[in-house]
Each structure stands twice: as C-alpha cells, then as structure tokens.
Amino acid sequence: MSGVSENRVLAGSPSTGEAARGGLIADVPRRALILLGLFAALLLVAPATVGDYLLSVMILVLYYAYLGLAWNVMMGFAGQFSLGHALYIGLGGYTAGALFVHYGLPPWFGMVVGAAVAAVMGGVIGALGFRFGVKGVYFALLTIAFAEFTRILFDHWGWVGASSGLYLPVEYRDTDDLWLLRGSATMFYYVILAMTAGAFILCHWLLQRRVGYYWQAIREDQEAAQTLGIDVFRYKMIAVMLSAAMTAIGGVFYAFYYNNLYPETIFSMHRSIELMLGVIIGGIGTLFGPILGAIVLTTLGEMLTGLTEDLGLDGIKQMSYGVALLVIIVYRPGGLWPWLRRRLGLEKPR
Amino acid sequence: MILEVRNLDLYYGDAQALDDVSLDIAEREIVAIVGANGAGKTSLIRTIGGMCRPARGSIRYKGVDIAGQPSHKVCELGVAQVAEGRQIFPNMTVRENLEMGAVLKRARAGKRGTMEKVFAMLPRLRERADQAAGTLSGGEQQMLAIGRCLMGQPEMVMFDEPSLGLAPTIVQEVFRTIRDLHDAGITVVLVEQNVSASLKMADRAYVLENGRVVLTGTGAELLRDEGVRQAYLGL
C-alpha cells in the first residue's frame, strides 16, 4: 500500500480499491459531484443576476453556513457541545477590527491573529473542561461562562470602545479593495463564498483523515476510544481549537462587513444559539447539513421579517426558529440533510 | 513477571476504591480477579490500563512503571482491555470498528494481516463486516469488542465482565475464545462475576473485597476454599 493509504487509517470500501487512490473526491458518488458542481456554479454567477436585497440575504446565508461548519467541527465531529461560540466570533471580530482601526493593519493579518487568539481561548476552555472531566451540559455551561465574562470585559475595555462599540471607518469608493476588505456587497459575497467553500473542503478532508475517524470514535463512545489507545484529550483539543479559530475568522468577516462591533450583541448567547440552530436543522455531524440549515433558516427568517414588517408583529422570526427546531426534532431528529441526501440518491455505496 | 502491582491505592473523591492492592501476573498466565459488585475489580483494571490515576503504589509492566501514565501510552506497550458492556461504535461498520482497533503505532503496519487473523478466529465478524455494529446481537458485539482489541496486537488483555448479559451458550463461546487467545500466547486478566467459570479457567486468581485482596491462590485451590464457595458460589 502506498503512503497515501497509510495516512488514511480507514479505507473506504476495500473491494473497490478506492482507498489506494485517496484524493479528495474518491469516495464521492458522481451524482453528488454533479449536483455540487451545479450548486457551486449557481453561487458563483448569482451576484450578476440577483438584486441588492437578495444578495444581502445570500451573504447572510453563507455567513451562517460558514459559522455552522465551524461549530460542527466541535459538536458534530468530536461530540463536544459548545454553547458559547459567540465568544470566538467576538474575539476574531474585535482583534481584526481593533488592529485595523488602531494600526491600519489589513484584515488578513487580523484574521491570523484573531484565529490564534480564539484558538488559545478555545484551548484554555478545552483544557479546563477535559482535564477536570467537565462533560456534556456542564461543559456547555463552561463555554457560556467564558463568553459571558469576555462580554463583560469588552464592555469595560476602553481601547476597543467599551460598551459604546468599535466602529470601522466607512468611506465611499468606486473600487473594491480586497486587501483592506473595503468595497461592494459583491466583493463581500465572494469573500464569504470562498470562506464557506474553504471550510467545506477542509471539513471534507478532515473527515477522511485519521483525525476524522478518531473524532467519530470519541463521539460515539469516548471510553471505548480511550481503551483503544486514542489520545482522547489531544483530539478533543484539536477539535475545540480548530473550531474556535474557524469561528473567529467568521467574526473577522462580520466586523468588516457590518463595520461595527458591540459587546452586547456579538458576544451574546443569542448569537451562539443562532449559529447552531442551522446545523441542528440541517443535520449535526454531516458535511452539507450546516449549509442546508443556513439556507432554510435564513430564508425563513427573512421571509417572516418581510411579512411581519407589514403586519407590525415583532419577534415572529425568533418564534419561527423555535417552531422550526421543534418540527425538526420531532420529525427529522437527524436533520434535513440525511433525509434529503437519501431523496437525491446520494448515499455512499457500501 | 510481566506485570507487578504493588500497594495500589485509588480514590474517587473521598471514597477509597482500591486499598493497598498488590498482585503479580506472569507471562502467558490466565489470572482471574473475582469479587462482588463494588469490590474494586473494574477500578483495578482501569487503573492498570491508565484510565484512573492511583494515589499511591506502583504498576510495573515488563519493568516499566506505568502507574499514572495516560491510557494511550499504556496501550502502546501492549496492554489492552476489553471494557465492560461491549463498548463498540454502533454507527460504524464491523470492519471500521476493527480498523479503529489498530490505531496504535505498534499495530498500524500489520493491520491487514491482523484483520485476516481476527476474521479467521471469529468468522461471524467476516460475515457481518459491512454491517453497522449496532445491529449485531449481544454475543456478536462482544466478539467484535474482543476482535477490535486484538487489532491492537496486544500482549496482555484485561477482560472486564465479558459474560455480562449474554445467554449461557454464548458465554461458553466467549470463554472458549478467551482460552484460544491464551493458547495463542496472550496473557489474560479476567474480571468476572461468573466466579466458577472463571476460576475453572484461571491458572491463578485473586479475590477482592472492598478494594482489598483478601485471598489468592490457584484457580483449583480457590474453588475448594470454603469461604469462596459460600460467598461466591452459593454452596
């Protein structure tokens, strides 16, 4: 066997010999590749055909898809429940935002620093939780606690604008400046599209590696994984730190797209919940679930917002999220994607 | 001696689970550890396996002190355990479960060959290779847990209650498999509530009570012991 299969602990289906080929798309059915290609093409040409409003909705969809993919690494792949992912959005956004505002440093630099800061924070939370056997719901509470006290810290930290917020300078310009991430909605659309595609490919790749299978083992039965000699602590830490870093990069996008950051909103529990709702609806632990969930949820939210503005009803969006979640939990507890995948005939051949 | 345990103390918070436990296991022996529920049997093999950190004492495996070492390091030395309650991965196929057994550096290279050996020894697993492990019967799951453990190419295997919840005929099959492993050169530590079956099979045995070793001897000696007969065999 070649070095390629050495890296992939688990061969796909040995009978077809696909394992030896390795590669990113070896295990993907042809039909799925075609559909994925069509979907990607649609996303690529969209800005040329849709209006401003629809484009802004699509940016939002991709933003939540990206965050969902990031959260899914920790919860879906490794089975570690975080209810405080807003923490990493905030850390990423504030790091890149402050470096830009105070030192004029480009967001790409802030992205690296913000991701590192978030990874360290994730590492601290993970180390505390995993070393001292804080599990499940209690671990989730730990993640909330960190998000909350970071919010309070930023609320009182003058350098980042404290509770009155941090503003990124906005100027009118005709050209897109990708280096400083200043420009049109179309530019932001392609940036978040690239980020989401990147996260999707990264996740797909990880699942085919040794680490992906170790995560699955830890998720299914941590004790068993441990007795087999998997360094459970290490692989859980990898999941948490990677998820945190990815989420922080989403936060950088947020900062430069919206141009304002308030501790009260960016670190809020509300945001942590919002980013995981899509994943639950789409299908936790699946690759496409976070994307599908973001499409469904954001579209639903936007439609209802439009409707309720006419009717003068507030809070319908939040309620609809609750209803959607209930419906999914009762009728499709695995999420929409596993069901849709079957419907589309995209099951992996065994 | 392949394993030498000396003066082991283990606490869960304030509760003492192991109290000054010492035991020896020679290469290629079958050693049974018997005792009532809560006597500390599982705690003992979890501590040896690196899942619990002892407060005091030493565990020497082939001369190396492994007390307090994390389980992945202990496993790498060839010490394996088949945990209580058949901890298989239900959503993975039988084959994937087996492959997960070969995560250790010591086992990666010879993986294919080991799997062939496991299939030859446990043919039911080959029949069910591409089936989700969660769909197997209890007995098959136990066999899978054993097969998966063998994928790590262990030298010493600690079985925790392998007969738990299985039908009598299946129990016999499980015990026969354990004996086969022993014949193939593996040192066996057997924790069982099925005292008579395990004492019959064991070269030597230790009786645990409240975290202490209260009695030790050959399997045959303990089977004749009046105290053991009254306490564990109901005679």
Side-chain angles (χ1 to χ4, degrees):
Chain A
M1 280 288 174
S2 66
V4 179
S5 64
E6 218 11 71
N7 272 332
R8 305 185 28 164
V9 194
L10 296 171
S13 40
S15 54
T16 58
E18 275 180 340
R21 258 190 281 143
L24 218 49
I25 54 170
D27 284 343
V28 185
R30 181 178 297 268
R31 216 182 147 124
L33 281 179
I34 294 169
L35 281 174
L36 192 65
L38 281 175
F39 185 62
L42 210 67
L43 287 173
L44 277 173
V45 301
T49 51
V50 302
D52 285 351
Y53 169 68
L54 204 53
L55 190 66
S56 74
V57 174
M58 289 179 79
I59 290 174
L60 209 57
V61 167
L62 287 169
Y63 172 65
Y64 278 112
Y66 175 84
L67 291 179
L69 283 164
W71 180 76
N72 196 36
V73 168
M74 189 170 157
M75 177 66 195
F77 297 170
Q80 305 304 310
F81 189 18
S82 166
L83 254 172
H85 254 48
L87 169 62
Y88 310 123
I89 304 179
L91 286 177
Y94 266 108
T95 305
L99 288 176
F100 180 69
V101 170
H102 292 302
Y103 307 114
L105 289 167
W108 306 102
F109 179 78
M111 219 171 241
V112 175
V113 180
V117 168
V120 168
M121 188 61 124
V124 169
I125 297 171
L128 278 174
F130 305 148
R131 266 291 174 245
F132 296 102
V134 181
K135 285 178 197 153
V137 176
Y138 298 99
F139 181 72
L141 287 176
L142 188 68
T143 62
I144 296 177
F146 269 82
E148 280 298 291
F149 74 60
T150 309
R151 175 181 65 79
I152 294 165
L153 176 79
F154 275 73
D155 245 346
H156 296 89
W157 190 9
W159 191 65
V160 295
S163 59
S164 46
L166 183 71
Y167 295 88
L168 276 68
V170 184
E171 45 185 306
Y172 286 103
R173 52 166 75 232
D174 307 329
T175 52
D176 291 336
D177 185 345
L178 197 58
W179 178 242
L180 291 179
L181 221 51
R182 310 275 80 191
S184 65
T186 307
M187 180 193 75
F188 279 105
Y189 172 83
Y190 281 116
V191 168
I192 192 69
L193 178 61
M195 281 166 61
T196 308
F200 180 79
I201 292 167
L202 176 68
C203 288
H204 177 64
W205 180 76
L206 285 169
L207 285 186
Q208 294 196 332
R209 299 277 120 181
R210 190 174 283 156
V211 62
Y213 285 93
Y214 289 4
W215 282 337
Q216 189 184 349
I218 291 168
R219 186 181 72 212
E220 290 205 7
D221 195 326
Q222 184 175 320
E223 284 260 303
Q226 205 178 346
T227 60
L228 295 176
I230 293 173
D231 189 344
V232 169
F233 178 77
R234 181 171 164 211
Y235 286 97
K236 286 201 293 195
M237 287 296 279
I238 291 174
V240 174
M241 293 176 74
L242 181 65
S243 178
M246 287 171 72
T247 308
I249 293 173
V252 178
F253 176 85
Y254 178 94
F256 282 76
Y257 180 58
Y258 288 108
N259 299 311
N260 59 65
L261 296 163
Y262 302 99
E264 293 298 332
T265 50
I266 203 158
F267 288 112
S268 79
M269 175 95 184
H270 177 74
R271 206 161 280 274
S272 296
I273 292 173
E274 215 168 45
L275 77 88
M276 55 186 245
L277 275 183
V279 189
I280 297 170
I281 286 172
I284 290 183
T286 65
L287 267 178
F288 211 75
I291 299 172
L292 181 66
I295 295 172
V296 171
L297 210 59
T298 310
T299 315
L300 186 73
E302 285 302 316
M303 272 165 49
L304 283 168
T305 308
L307 204 71
T308 49
E309 263 172 11
D310 298 341
L311 297 174
L313 294 167
D314 288 332
I316 286 279
K317 183 168 136 186
Q318 277 69 24
M319 260 178 68
S320 75
Y321 284 2
V323 172
L325 193 62
L326 270 178
V327 170
I328 288 297
I329 288 169
V330 173
Y331 293 103
R332 296 267 176 271
L336 285 175
W337 176 243
W339 166 79
L340 187 65
R341 184 174 53 190
R342 255 196 317 281
R343 277 313 189 73
L344 293 171
L346 301 179
E347 295 284 78
K348 262 187 204 172
R350 276 266 187 233
Chain B
M1 289 295 147
I2 192 169
L3 185 79
E4 294 170 316
V5 175
R6 291 289 173 273
N7 313 109
L8 211 56
D9 284 355
L10 174 74
Y11 293 86
Y12 297 124
D14 289 336
Q16 188 163 12
L18 295 176
D19 181 0
D20 201 30
V21 170
S22 296
L23 59 84
D24 291 302
I25 289 162
E27 208 158 348
R28 295 180 150 235
E29 243 187 336
I30 299 186
V31 173
I33 296 168
V34 298
N37 253 340
K41 309 182 298 283
T42 300
S43 296
L44 176 59
I45 64 171
R46 282 174 64 88
T47 308
I48 295 170
M51 316 271 287
C52 300
R53 183 183 284 270
R56 192 171 70 93
S58 70
I59 304 168
R60 301 187 82 80
Y61 180 74
K62 290 174 142 183
V64 183
D65 193 353
I66 56 169
Q69 291 279 323
S71 52
H72 60 274
K73 296 225 168 103
V74 177
C75 289
E76 204 63 70
L77 297 172
V79 178
Q81 44 179 320
V82 178
E84 186 181 343
R86 308 185 282 278
Q87 295 175 338
I88 50 141
F89 303 118
N91 296 315
M92 292 189 192
T93 64
V94 168
R95 191 189 304 277
E96 284 170 341
N97 264 275
L98 291 176
E99 300 213 12
M100 289 308 305
V103 303
L104 298 169
K105 285 192 201 82
R106 59 183 284 125
R108 274 180 209 162
K111 198 173 71 181
R112 304 249 155 217
T114 319
M115 193 176 298
E116 272 312 308
K117 273 188 221 160
V118 169
F119 279 150
M121 191 172 179
L122 305 165
R124 288 301 285 278
L125 297 185
R126 193 200 298 273
E127 288 169 32
R128 308 233 182 267
D130 295 314
Q131 209 168 310
T135 64
L136 301 184
S137 72
E140 287 167 344
Q141 289 187 5
Q142 184 64 61
M143 291 301 180
L144 176 58
I146 293 173
R148 190 181 59 184
C149 164
L150 294 179
M151 290 296 294
Q153 301 186 4
E155 295 166 358
M156 182 178 96
V157 179
M158 301 182 285
F159 292 91
D160 194 357
E161 307 275 4
S163 72
L164 196 75
L166 298 178
T169 53
I170 313 280
V171 171
Q172 279 183 6
E173 208 181 314
V174 170
F175 278 132
R176 199 159 48 235
T177 307
I178 294 173
R179 185 168 283 289
D180 288 347
L181 293 182
H182 170 251
D183 293 344
I186 289 175
T187 306
V188 173
V189 179
L190 183 59
V191 162
E192 260 297 338
Q193 287 191 317
N194 189 339
V195 174
S196 85
S198 54
L199 288 184
K200 273 177 200 150
M201 196 162 93
D203 298 316
R204 290 187 307 115
Y206 291 86
V207 180
L208 281 186
E209 246 169 49
N210 298 322
R212 300 183 69 92
V213 174
V214 293
L215 201 61
T216 174
T218 65
E221 277 167 9
L222 291 188
L223 273 174
R224 285 195 301 272
D225 184 273
E226 202 49 46
V228 171
R229 288 166 71 89
Q230 274 182 10
Y232 302 107
L233 303 176
L235 299 170

